[in-house]
Amino acid sequence: MRGAERTPLSGDWDVLICGASFAGLAVARELAGSGARVLVVDRYEIGERQTSACGIPTEWLRVLGLMESHRQTFGRLVIHTPHGTSVLDLPWTFSTFDYPALCSLLWDQCDAQFETAKVNGRTGNVVHTDRGDLSAPLVVDALGWRRVLGGGYQPPDAPLSRGLEVHPWGVGDDMELWIDRRYVPAGYGWSFPAGDETRIGVGSFDPRFHVKDTTVMLAEDLEREPVRYQGNWIPHRLRAATGDGIFFVGDSAGHCLPLTAEGIRTALYFGIACGRELRSVVEGRQPIAAALVRYGDFSQSHRWKFEAMLAAQKLVPRVPPPILHRGIRAMQAKRFVDWSFGHYLGIAAPAFAAAGPPSRGAGHAPVSIAA
Ligand SMILES: Cc1cc2nc3c(=O)[nH]c(=O)nc-3n(C[C@H](O)[C@H](O)[C@H](O)COP(=O)(O)OP(=O)(O)OC[C@H]3O[C@@H](n4cnc5c(N)ncnc54)[C@H](O)[C@@H]3O)c2cc1C
């Protein structure tokens, strides 16, 4: 809603989810049928502003019933360095999807209420928005890297990467990466075809490196027009997933994988984990304090994997390019690809979503929410 339509908004809900992208919608989806009064707020309409290149392991789309948003599938990853090209045959496929379609499909699986509102901050469990104050005993910050409800995060000093991409029309066959210092000293360039458009971008692990010029350069090298920009900061360090009674999910908790900047499936994965804990609170199976501890511990139990990927992120730019190329070429060995990509998928495996309840339409009457 804009202008005069932006009417005052206030009230009290059982669960208040701030942010309606991957993380927030995954939390809301887990609460469907619980009987809880759930409000989701975002400054934009659901699916209005694409936040990524929208590449994800295909199985994640399938287990969540989101295949209708699917655009294109890839069974191999093509990696270019200045010294040659390597092709990794993946043990599972990766897909690109349509962002508005995916958000709309996720929202169809929720039974929450939605309002557009810009979140400005909070006092305790009262969230201040540009339309008024909202409150709930269970508050989720799924607002992305700014972590608005947790004291904020400021580039360029915070542990953030930055990414920018263009979306020219035109088809392609391969999911391609460039590890090439002409484009970025620490990071990589990408080209993700998605049906009739291709998403071409550059991500820098160093927040001080400006990626605009080299994004344009990569697009022009691929003979594509640098049009329809989209970019953002990307957190690359895990943060506490709970604090001062608030649940943080997705980029707001640093749930994006540091080496690859893959943050969609982890936002969905931790969103599901958070949603399950909240559901058990609204159904009277545990108090809020227990949910905070359990969800915080669950996120923390992944720390060593995130730290290992962060160490690799820092190491790769230091490896001389000819040696890096030889290393990537050696990685083409089928057994190694199967092993490494199997572990990589296992960090946030699609089976986690498949295993979960939620018992849709069960219509439990929520019991009083215990602190
Ligand atoms: C250029 C680029 C390409 C990327 N490509 C990929 C990729 O292909 N695959 C992948 O896995 N990851 C990719 N990522 C990373 C991925 O986009 C993020 O990790 C992911 O979007 C995190 O999801 P989220 O729901 O936590 O946050 P977001 O998707 O950032 O969503 C945050 C939501 O909060 C809303 N919001 C923010 N502030 C406020 C406020 N003050 N008030 C109200 N609403 C607010 C926003 O409108 C948005 O809807 C990419 C990132 C970039 C920058």
Side-chain angles (χ1 to χ4, degrees), residues 90-102:
L90 304 178
W92 39 268
T93 61
F94 212 82
S95 287
T96 46
F97 60 83
D98 180 76
Y99 181 74
L102 180 127

Side-chain angles (χ1 to χ4, degrees), residues 21-23 42-44 51-55 117 119 143 250-251 261-264:
S21 185
F22 308 109
D42 196 290
R43 60 186 163 174
Y44 303 119
T51 56
S52 78
C54 296
V119 174
L143 293 166
D251 276 6
E262 203 203 331
I264 298 172

